Amino acid sequence: MKTATTVAQMLIRIVGLILIVLGVAFWTGNARGLVSVHMLLGVVLVLALWTLAFLGVRAGVNWGLVVLAVLWGLLVAALGMVQVRLLPGSLHWIIQVLHLLIGLAAMGQGEALAARIKSRQAAGTSGEQALAAGGR
């Protein structure tokens, strides 16, 4: 489970960085042809977040954080799909900023989940080692 947690966490970090770079490119009027790549990478980010949520359940992480991550993933996907239709015109920048903040929050939730999963695993490993040492 540690390897899966690390892979999902690194995927969120790498994909998140690429998404931010693409988003800035779109915001400045460049790379419009890569919007479908941005959307696909957004799906990858959400799937990695949900993977961490699943691993969090298995590791015994607080249910509130797990449920928040699942729901936040849905919000990221929903906003990503409809954002171009929200507040068209001169006020669309508000939606773009909201999209950025929600994406950054998803990345933060992934980091928080990964940290808690790893912490729970380390506590479990320490406990198992203590039990093994005491049982000898």
Side-chain angles (χ1 to χ4, degrees), residues 48-58 65-67 69-70 113 117:
L49 180 62
W50 286 345
T51 299
L52 286 172
F54 171 76
L55 294 170
V57 168
R58 293 197 54 206
L65 187 59
V66 169
V67 170
V70 171
L113 271 170
I117 293 165

Side-chain angles (χ1 to χ4, degrees), residues 71-87:
L71 294 177
W72 205 264
L74 288 171
L75 176 64
V76 169
L79 181 60
M81 288 188 285
V82 301
Q83 83 158 13
V84 295
R85 292 176 281 190
L86 301 174
L87 285 179

Side-chain angles (χ1 to χ4, degrees), residues 2 5-6 9 13 113-123:
K2 183 177 180 184
T5 300
T6 300
Q9 181 182 28
R13 289 175 178 175
L113 271 170
R116 284 180 177 81
I117 293 165
K118 290 176 180 180
S119 172
R120 299 283 298 191
Q121 290 171 343

Side-chain angles (χ1 to χ4, degrees), residues 7-136:
V7 168
Q9 181 182 28
M10 293 307 293
L11 194 57
I12 287 174
R13 289 175 178 175
I14 293 166
V15 168
L17 178 61
I18 295 168
L19 286 167
I20 291 167
V21 169
L22 284 173
V24 169
F26 301 150
W27 207 334
T28 59
N30 300 303
R32 295 275 182 203
L34 296 176
V35 170
S36 59
V37 172
H38 184 80
M39 291 175 69
L40 177 63
L41 291 175
V43 170
V44 170
L45 187 130
V46 169
L47 291 175
L49 180 62
W50 286 345
T51 299
L52 286 172
F54 171 76
L55 294 170
V57 168
R58 293 197 54 206
V61 171
N62 179 295
W63 274 90
L65 187 59
V66 169
V67 170
L68 179 62
V70 171
L71 294 177
W72 205 264
L74 288 171
L75 176 64
V76 169
L79 181 60
M81 288 188 285
V82 301
Q83 83 158 13
V84 295
R85 292 176 281 190
L86 301 174
L87 285 179
S90 63
L91 294 179
H92 186 67
W93 68 269
I94 296 169
I95 300 303
Q96 291 173 317
V97 170
L98 182 63
H99 182 73
L100 172 64
L101 294 175
I102 287 173
L104 289 173
M107 293 169 63
Q109 287 177 32
E111 288 295 321
L113 271 170
R116 284 180 177 81
I117 293 165
K118 290 176 180 180
S119 172
R120 299 283 298 191
Q121 290 171 343
T125 302
S126 299
E128 291 169 10
Q129 289 173 348
L131 284 174
R136 290 184 199 178

